[in-house]
Amino acid sequence: MQEPNDQHADDELFMAEALRLAEQGAAIGEVPVGAVLVQDGVIIGRGYNSPIGLNDPSAHAEVQAIRDAATGVENYRLPNTTLYVTLEPCHMCAGLMVHARIARVVFAAHEPRAGAVESQGCFFAQSFLNHRVTITGGILADESAQLLKSFFKARRKSATQKVTQGQ
């Protein structure tokens, strides 16, 4: 059995990889959210937000990582896995985690407007669900929040510049 400190170190390691993926998304103009799906200490799925580039409103980082893993293991069920994501999941992504049978979700920053895990209700605590997902929040939260703040600050600055230049 893993000691709590070992688990925390693993959580930070995998969250750092999710942050790298979020940065990749930001580099191409997507909202910087990244995710990795881990099974037995191995990353089996990776993703970052891609709704703009894929013209797909469901292409959230979590969805991309889960799709990548399911394709790789050739199974739509992903039991005994942990999903690491840099932003608290929305209802759509939380529902997907239940359907995929993800065991645990670890998120970095809270999403006060649309976070379905803690901020705007506790989706996984609903009695009607046929699967339970455990939650750990706040792992590398400051790094994730800073990445998001910097992204949106740059986006607002760009939008302001376009307005002042008459574009």
Short mmCIF file of all heavy atoms in Angstrom, two decimals, residues 92-145:
data_model
loop_
_atom_site.label_atom_id
_atom_site.label_comp_id
_atom_site.label_asym_id
_atom_site.label_seq_id
_atom_site.Cartn_x
_atom_site.Cartn_y
_atom_site.Cartn_z
N MET A 92 -20.44 17.71 -17.74
CA MET A 92 -20.28 16.79 -18.87
C MET A 92 -19.12 15.83 -18.59
O MET A 92 -19.25 14.61 -18.75
CB MET A 92 -20.03 17.56 -20.17
CG MET A 92 -19.73 16.67 -21.36
SD MET A 92 -19.29 17.57 -22.85
CE MET A 92 -17.66 18.19 -22.44
N CYS A 93 -18.00 16.38 -18.18
CA CYS A 93 -16.81 15.56 -17.94
C CYS A 93 -16.99 14.65 -16.73
O CYS A 93 -16.56 13.50 -16.75
CB CYS A 93 -15.58 16.45 -17.80
SG CYS A 93 -15.17 17.30 -19.34
N ALA A 94 -17.66 15.15 -15.70
CA ALA A 94 -17.92 14.32 -14.52
C ALA A 94 -18.80 13.13 -14.91
O ALA A 94 -18.56 11.99 -14.48
CB ALA A 94 -18.57 15.14 -13.43
N GLY A 95 -19.81 13.37 -15.72
CA GLY A 95 -20.67 12.28 -16.20
C GLY A 95 -19.88 11.25 -16.99
O GLY A 95 -20.08 10.04 -16.83
N LEU A 96 -18.99 11.71 -17.83
CA LEU A 96 -18.15 10.80 -18.60
C LEU A 96 -17.29 9.94 -17.68
O LEU A 96 -17.12 8.74 -17.93
CB LEU A 96 -17.26 11.60 -19.57
CG LEU A 96 -16.24 10.78 -20.35
CD1 LEU A 96 -16.91 9.74 -21.23
CD2 LEU A 96 -15.37 11.72 -21.19
N MET A 97 -16.77 10.52 -16.62
CA MET A 97 -15.93 9.76 -15.69
C MET A 97 -16.73 8.62 -15.05
O MET A 97 -16.21 7.52 -14.87
CB MET A 97 -15.36 10.67 -14.61
CG MET A 97 -14.32 11.63 -15.16
SD MET A 97 -13.82 12.78 -13.88
CE MET A 97 -13.52 14.23 -14.86
N VAL A 98 -17.98 8.89 -14.73
CA VAL A 98 -18.83 7.84 -14.16
C VAL A 98 -19.04 6.74 -15.20
O VAL A 98 -18.88 5.56 -14.90
CB VAL A 98 -20.18 8.42 -13.69
CG1 VAL A 98 -21.17 7.31 -13.34
CG2 VAL A 98 -19.97 9.35 -12.50
N HIS A 99 -19.39 7.11 -16.42
CA HIS A 99 -19.64 6.11 -17.47
C HIS A 99 -18.40 5.29 -17.79
O HIS A 99 -18.50 4.09 -18.08
CB HIS A 99 -20.18 6.77 -18.74
CG HIS A 99 -21.58 7.24 -18.59
ND1 HIS A 99 -22.65 6.39 -18.48
CD2 HIS A 99 -22.09 8.49 -18.52
CE1 HIS A 99 -23.76 7.08 -18.34
NE2 HIS A 99 -23.45 8.37 -18.35
N ALA A 100 -17.22 5.91 -17.72
CA ALA A 100 -15.96 5.21 -18.01
C ALA A 100 -15.46 4.42 -16.82
O ALA A 100 -14.50 3.66 -16.94
CB ALA A 100 -14.90 6.20 -18.48
N ARG A 101 -16.07 4.60 -15.66
CA ARG A 101 -15.69 3.93 -14.42
C ARG A 101 -14.32 4.34 -13.91
O ARG A 101 -13.57 3.54 -13.35
CB ARG A 101 -15.75 2.40 -14.56
CG ARG A 101 -17.10 1.84 -15.00
CD ARG A 101 -18.19 2.17 -13.98
NE ARG A 101 -19.41 1.41 -14.24
CZ ARG A 101 -20.47 1.88 -14.90
NH1 ARG A 101 -20.47 3.10 -15.39
NH2 ARG A 101 -21.54 1.12 -15.07
N ILE A 102 -14.00 5.63 -14.09
CA ILE A 102 -12.77 6.19 -13.53
C ILE A 102 -12.87 6.07 -12.01
O ILE A 102 -13.91 6.38 -11.42
CB ILE A 102 -12.60 7.68 -13.94
CG1 ILE A 102 -12.68 7.86 -15.46
CG2 ILE A 102 -11.35 8.28 -13.33
CD1 ILE A 102 -11.58 7.26 -16.25
N ALA A 103 -11.81 5.64 -11.35
CA ALA A 103 -11.86 5.44 -9.89
C ALA A 103 -11.66 6.74 -9.13
O ALA A 103 -12.28 6.96 -8.09
CB ALA A 103 -10.80 4.43 -9.47
N ARG A 104 -10.79 7.61 -9.66
CA ARG A 104 -10.40 8.79 -8.90
C ARG A 104 -10.13 9.94 -9.85
O ARG A 104 -9.58 9.74 -10.93
CB ARG A 104 -9.14 8.46 -8.10
CG ARG A 104 -8.57 9.55 -7.24
CD ARG A 104 -7.41 9.01 -6.40
NE ARG A 104 -6.79 10.07 -5.63
CZ ARG A 104 -5.53 10.47 -5.78
NH1 ARG A 104 -4.72 9.87 -6.64
NH2 ARG A 104 -5.06 11.45 -5.06
N VAL A 105 -10.49 11.14 -9.42
CA VAL A 105 -10.13 12.35 -10.17
C VAL A 105 -9.34 13.26 -9.23
O VAL A 105 -9.70 13.44 -8.07
CB VAL A 105 -11.35 13.09 -10.77
CG1 VAL A 105 -12.31 13.56 -9.71
CG2 VAL A 105 -10.91 14.26 -11.63
N VAL A 106 -8.24 13.77 -9.77
CA VAL A 106 -7.40 14.72 -9.05
C VAL A 106 -7.38 15.98 -9.89
O VAL A 106 -7.04 15.93 -11.08
CB VAL A 106 -5.95 14.17 -8.90
CG1 VAL A 106 -5.08 15.19 -8.18
CG2 VAL A 106 -5.96 12.84 -8.16
N PHE A 107 -7.79 17.09 -9.30
CA PHE A 107 -7.79 18.34 -10.06
C PHE A 107 -6.94 19.38 -9.36
O PHE A 107 -6.69 19.30 -8.16
CB PHE A 107 -9.21 18.85 -10.35
CG PHE A 107 -9.98 19.32 -9.14
CD1 PHE A 107 -9.93 20.65 -8.76
CD2 PHE A 107 -10.76 18.44 -8.41
CE1 PHE A 107 -10.64 21.10 -7.66
CE2 PHE A 107 -11.47 18.87 -7.30
CZ PHE A 107 -11.41 20.21 -6.93
N ALA A 108 -6.52 20.36 -10.15
CA ALA A 108 -5.65 21.42 -9.61
C ALA A 108 -6.52 22.57 -9.10
O ALA A 108 -6.86 22.63 -7.93
CB ALA A 108 -4.66 21.88 -10.68
N ALA A 109 -6.89 23.47 -9.99
CA ALA A 109 -7.62 24.69 -9.61
C ALA A 109 -9.13 24.46 -9.58
O ALA A 109 -9.67 23.71 -10.40
CB ALA A 109 -7.29 25.81 -10.60
N HIS A 110 -9.78 25.11 -8.65
CA HIS A 110 -11.25 25.10 -8.62
C HIS A 110 -11.78 25.96 -9.77
O HIS A 110 -11.14 26.92 -10.18
CB HIS A 110 -11.76 25.64 -7.28
CG HIS A 110 -11.68 24.64 -6.19
ND1 HIS A 110 -10.54 24.48 -5.43
CD2 HIS A 110 -12.58 23.74 -5.74
CE1 HIS A 110 -10.75 23.51 -4.55
NE2 HIS A 110 -11.98 23.05 -4.70
N GLU A 111 -12.96 25.61 -10.25
CA GLU A 111 -13.64 26.38 -11.30
C GLU A 111 -14.93 26.90 -10.68
O GLU A 111 -15.93 26.20 -10.63
CB GLU A 111 -13.93 25.47 -12.49
CG GLU A 111 -13.95 26.10 -13.86
CD GLU A 111 -14.82 27.35 -14.05
OE1 GLU A 111 -15.33 27.98 -13.11
OE2 GLU A 111 -14.97 27.71 -15.20
N PRO A 112 -14.91 28.13 -10.13
CA PRO A 112 -16.05 28.61 -9.34
C PRO A 112 -17.36 28.73 -10.12
O PRO A 112 -18.42 28.63 -9.53
CB PRO A 112 -15.59 29.98 -8.83
CG PRO A 112 -14.42 30.36 -9.66
CD PRO A 112 -13.81 29.09 -10.18
N ARG A 113 -17.30 28.90 -11.42
CA ARG A 113 -18.54 29.07 -12.20
C ARG A 113 -19.14 27.76 -12.67
O ARG A 113 -20.35 27.60 -12.68
CB ARG A 113 -18.28 29.95 -13.41
CG ARG A 113 -17.97 31.37 -13.04
CD ARG A 113 -17.85 32.22 -14.26
NE ARG A 113 -17.49 33.58 -13.87
CZ ARG A 113 -17.25 34.53 -14.72
NH1 ARG A 113 -17.33 34.30 -16.01
NH2 ARG A 113 -16.93 35.73 -14.29
N ALA A 114 -18.31 26.83 -13.13
CA ALA A 114 -18.86 25.62 -13.74
C ALA A 114 -18.30 24.33 -13.17
O ALA A 114 -18.57 23.26 -13.69
CB ALA A 114 -18.61 25.66 -15.26
N GLY A 115 -17.50 24.40 -12.11
CA GLY A 115 -16.94 23.19 -11.53
C GLY A 115 -18.01 22.35 -10.88
O GLY A 115 -18.73 22.81 -10.00
N ALA A 116 -18.13 21.12 -11.32
CA ALA A 116 -19.22 20.25 -10.86
C ALA A 116 -18.80 19.29 -9.76
O ALA A 116 -19.63 18.54 -9.25
CB ALA A 116 -19.76 19.45 -12.04
N VAL A 117 -17.54 19.30 -9.39
CA VAL A 117 -17.04 18.34 -8.41
C VAL A 117 -17.16 18.89 -6.99
O VAL A 117 -17.51 18.16 -6.07
CB VAL A 117 -15.59 17.95 -8.76
CG1 VAL A 117 -15.00 17.03 -7.72
CG2 VAL A 117 -15.54 17.30 -10.13
N GLU A 118 -16.88 20.19 -6.82
CA GLU A 118 -17.00 20.82 -5.51
C GLU A 118 -17.63 22.20 -5.58
O GLU A 118 -18.46 22.54 -4.76
CB GLU A 118 -15.62 20.93 -4.84
CG GLU A 118 -15.04 19.61 -4.40
CD GLU A 118 -13.69 19.74 -3.71
OE1 GLU A 118 -13.07 20.83 -3.75
OE2 GLU A 118 -13.23 18.73 -3.14
N SER A 119 -17.25 23.01 -6.56
CA SER A 119 -17.64 24.42 -6.58
C SER A 119 -19.13 24.66 -6.81
O SER A 119 -19.72 25.51 -6.15
CB SER A 119 -16.84 25.16 -7.66
OG SER A 119 -15.47 25.13 -7.34
N GLN A 120 -19.72 23.97 -7.74
CA GLN A 120 -21.14 24.15 -8.07
C GLN A 120 -21.89 22.84 -7.88
O GLN A 120 -22.53 22.33 -8.79
CB GLN A 120 -21.30 24.67 -9.51
CG GLN A 120 -20.80 26.07 -9.72
CD GLN A 120 -21.57 27.08 -8.88
OE1 GLN A 120 -22.77 26.95 -8.64
NE2 GLN A 120 -20.86 28.10 -8.42
N GLY A 121 -21.79 22.32 -6.73
CA GLY A 121 -22.45 21.05 -6.42
C GLY A 121 -21.44 19.93 -6.41
O GLY A 121 -20.33 20.04 -6.92
N CYS A 122 -21.83 18.85 -5.82
CA CYS A 122 -20.95 17.68 -5.70
C CYS A 122 -21.54 16.56 -6.55
O CYS A 122 -22.24 15.68 -6.04
CB CYS A 122 -20.83 17.26 -4.24
SG CYS A 122 -20.11 18.56 -3.20
N PHE A 123 -21.26 16.62 -7.84
CA PHE A 123 -21.85 15.67 -8.78
C PHE A 123 -21.65 14.23 -8.35
O PHE A 123 -22.58 13.42 -8.39
CB PHE A 123 -21.28 15.89 -10.19
CG PHE A 123 -21.84 14.94 -11.21
CD1 PHE A 123 -23.06 15.20 -11.80
CD2 PHE A 123 -21.15 13.79 -11.56
CE1 PHE A 123 -23.59 14.31 -12.73
CE2 PHE A 123 -21.66 12.91 -12.49
CZ PHE A 123 -22.89 13.17 -13.07
N PHE A 124 -20.44 13.89 -7.93
CA PHE A 124 -20.14 12.49 -7.63
C PHE A 124 -20.86 11.98 -6.38
O PHE A 124 -20.90 10.78 -6.14
CB PHE A 124 -18.63 12.29 -7.47
CG PHE A 124 -17.87 12.52 -8.75
CD1 PHE A 124 -16.77 13.36 -8.76
CD2 PHE A 124 -18.24 11.91 -9.94
CE1 PHE A 124 -16.05 13.59 -9.93
CE2 PHE A 124 -17.53 12.12 -11.11
CZ PHE A 124 -16.43 12.97 -11.11
N ALA A 125 -21.45 12.87 -5.59
CA ALA A 125 -22.18 12.46 -4.39
C ALA A 125 -23.65 12.16 -4.67
O ALA A 125 -24.38 11.76 -3.75
CB ALA A 125 -22.07 13.55 -3.33
N GLN A 126 -24.09 12.31 -5.90
CA GLN A 126 -25.50 12.10 -6.22
C GLN A 126 -25.90 10.64 -6.02
O GLN A 126 -25.21 9.72 -6.48
CB GLN A 126 -25.80 12.52 -7.67
CG GLN A 126 -25.52 13.99 -7.94
CD GLN A 126 -26.29 14.90 -7.01
OE1 GLN A 126 -27.50 14.78 -6.85
NE2 GLN A 126 -25.57 15.81 -6.37
N SER A 127 -27.01 10.42 -5.34
CA SER A 127 -27.43 9.06 -4.99
C SER A 127 -27.84 8.23 -6.20
O SER A 127 -27.80 7.00 -6.14
CB SER A 127 -28.59 9.12 -4.00
OG SER A 127 -29.71 9.77 -4.59
N PHE A 128 -28.20 8.86 -7.30
CA PHE A 128 -28.65 8.10 -8.47
C PHE A 128 -27.51 7.50 -9.28
O PHE A 128 -27.73 6.68 -10.16
CB PHE A 128 -29.52 8.99 -9.39
CG PHE A 128 -28.80 10.19 -9.95
CD1 PHE A 128 -27.97 10.10 -11.05
CD2 PHE A 128 -28.97 11.43 -9.35
CE1 PHE A 128 -27.32 11.21 -11.56
CE2 PHE A 128 -28.33 12.55 -9.85
CZ PHE A 128 -27.50 12.44 -10.95
N LEU A 129 -26.27 7.87 -8.99
CA LEU A 129 -25.14 7.36 -9.76
C LEU A 129 -24.86 5.90 -9.40
O LEU A 129 -24.95 5.51 -8.25
CB LEU A 129 -23.89 8.20 -9.50
CG LEU A 129 -23.97 9.65 -9.98
CD1 LEU A 129 -22.72 10.41 -9.57
CD2 LEU A 129 -24.16 9.71 -11.49
N ASN A 130 -24.48 5.13 -10.41
CA ASN A 130 -24.18 3.72 -10.20
C ASN A 130 -22.68 3.45 -10.04
O ASN A 130 -22.26 2.30 -10.02
CB ASN A 130 -24.73 2.89 -11.36
CG ASN A 130 -24.09 3.24 -12.69
OD1 ASN A 130 -23.41 4.24 -12.81
ND2 ASN A 130 -24.32 2.42 -13.70
N HIS A 131 -21.89 4.50 -9.93
CA HIS A 131 -20.45 4.37 -9.75
C HIS A 131 -19.96 5.55 -8.92
O HIS A 131 -20.44 6.67 -9.10
CB HIS A 131 -19.74 4.35 -11.12
CG HIS A 131 -18.25 4.35 -11.02
ND1 HIS A 131 -17.53 3.25 -10.60
CD2 HIS A 131 -17.33 5.32 -11.28
CE1 HIS A 131 -16.24 3.56 -10.61
NE2 HIS A 131 -16.09 4.80 -11.02
N ARG A 132 -19.04 5.32 -8.05
CA ARG A 132 -18.49 6.37 -7.21
C ARG A 132 -17.07 6.71 -7.64
O ARG A 132 -16.27 5.81 -7.91
CB ARG A 132 -18.47 5.94 -5.74
CG ARG A 132 -19.85 5.70 -5.18
CD ARG A 132 -20.60 7.01 -4.96
NE ARG A 132 -21.98 6.74 -4.66
CZ ARG A 132 -23.01 7.29 -5.28
NH1 ARG A 132 -22.81 8.17 -6.22
NH2 ARG A 132 -24.23 6.99 -4.95
N VAL A 133 -16.79 7.98 -7.71
CA VAL A 133 -15.47 8.49 -8.06
C VAL A 133 -14.96 9.25 -6.84
O VAL A 133 -15.67 10.09 -6.29
CB VAL A 133 -15.54 9.44 -9.28
CG1 VAL A 133 -14.17 10.02 -9.61
CG2 VAL A 133 -16.13 8.73 -10.49
N THR A 134 -13.74 8.97 -6.42
CA THR A 134 -13.16 9.71 -5.31
C THR A 134 -12.46 10.96 -5.86
O THR A 134 -12.06 10.99 -7.02
CB THR A 134 -12.19 8.86 -4.47
OG1 THR A 134 -11.11 8.43 -5.29
CG2 THR A 134 -12.89 7.66 -3.87
N ILE A 135 -12.32 11.96 -5.00
CA ILE A 135 -11.85 13.28 -5.43
C ILE A 135 -10.67 13.74 -4.57
O ILE A 135 -10.71 13.59 -3.34
CB ILE A 135 -12.97 14.33 -5.25
CG1 ILE A 135 -14.25 13.91 -5.95
CG2 ILE A 135 -12.52 15.71 -5.72
CD1 ILE A 135 -15.47 14.62 -5.41
N THR A 136 -9.70 14.33 -5.23
CA THR A 136 -8.64 15.07 -4.54
C THR A 136 -8.49 16.38 -5.30
O THR A 136 -8.29 16.37 -6.51
CB THR A 136 -7.30 14.30 -4.56
OG1 THR A 136 -7.47 13.03 -3.93
CG2 THR A 136 -6.21 15.09 -3.84
N GLY A 137 -8.61 17.49 -4.60
CA GLY A 137 -8.48 18.79 -5.25
C GLY A 137 -7.32 19.59 -4.72
O GLY A 137 -6.81 19.33 -3.63
N GLY A 138 -6.88 20.55 -5.51
CA GLY A 138 -5.88 21.50 -5.08
C GLY A 138 -4.43 21.13 -5.35
O GLY A 138 -3.54 21.84 -4.90
N ILE A 139 -4.19 20.06 -6.09
CA ILE A 139 -2.81 19.66 -6.39
C ILE A 139 -2.25 20.58 -7.48
O ILE A 139 -2.80 20.64 -8.58
CB ILE A 139 -2.74 18.18 -6.84
CG1 ILE A 139 -3.32 17.25 -5.79
CG2 ILE A 139 -1.30 17.80 -7.23
CD1 ILE A 139 -2.56 17.20 -4.48
N LEU A 140 -1.20 21.32 -7.17
CA LEU A 140 -0.58 22.32 -8.05
C LEU A 140 -1.62 23.37 -8.52
O LEU A 140 -1.58 23.86 -9.64
CB LEU A 140 0.11 21.67 -9.26
CG LEU A 140 1.23 20.67 -8.94
CD1 LEU A 140 1.89 20.18 -10.22
CD2 LEU A 140 2.27 21.27 -8.00
N ALA A 141 -2.51 23.70 -7.60
CA ALA A 141 -3.58 24.66 -7.91
C ALA A 141 -3.03 26.03 -8.29
O ALA A 141 -3.55 26.66 -9.23
CB ALA A 141 -4.53 24.79 -6.72
N ASP A 142 -2.02 26.51 -7.60
CA ASP A 142 -1.49 27.85 -7.89
C ASP A 142 -0.90 27.91 -9.29
O ASP A 142 -1.11 28.88 -10.02
CB ASP A 142 -0.43 28.25 -6.86
CG ASP A 142 -1.01 28.48 -5.47
OD1 ASP A 142 -2.24 28.70 -5.36
OD2 ASP A 142 -0.24 28.43 -4.51
N GLU A 143 -0.18 26.86 -9.68
CA GLU A 143 0.41 26.83 -11.02
C GLU A 143 -0.66 26.82 -12.10
O GLU A 143 -0.56 27.53 -13.11
CB GLU A 143 1.33 25.61 -11.17
CG GLU A 143 2.57 25.64 -10.30
CD GLU A 143 2.37 25.11 -8.87
OE1 GLU A 143 1.22 25.05 -8.38
OE2 GLU A 143 3.38 24.79 -8.24
N SER A 144 -1.68 26.04 -11.89
CA SER A 144 -2.77 25.97 -12.86
C SER A 144 -3.53 27.30 -12.94
O SER A 144 -3.81 27.80 -14.03
CB SER A 144 -3.75 24.85 -12.48
OG SER A 144 -4.82 24.81 -13.40
N ALA A 145 -3.84 27.87 -11.79
CA ALA A 145 -4.56 29.15 -11.76
C ALA A 145 -3.75 30.24 -12.44
O ALA A 145 -4.30 31.06 -13.19
CB ALA A 145 -4.89 29.54 -10.32
#
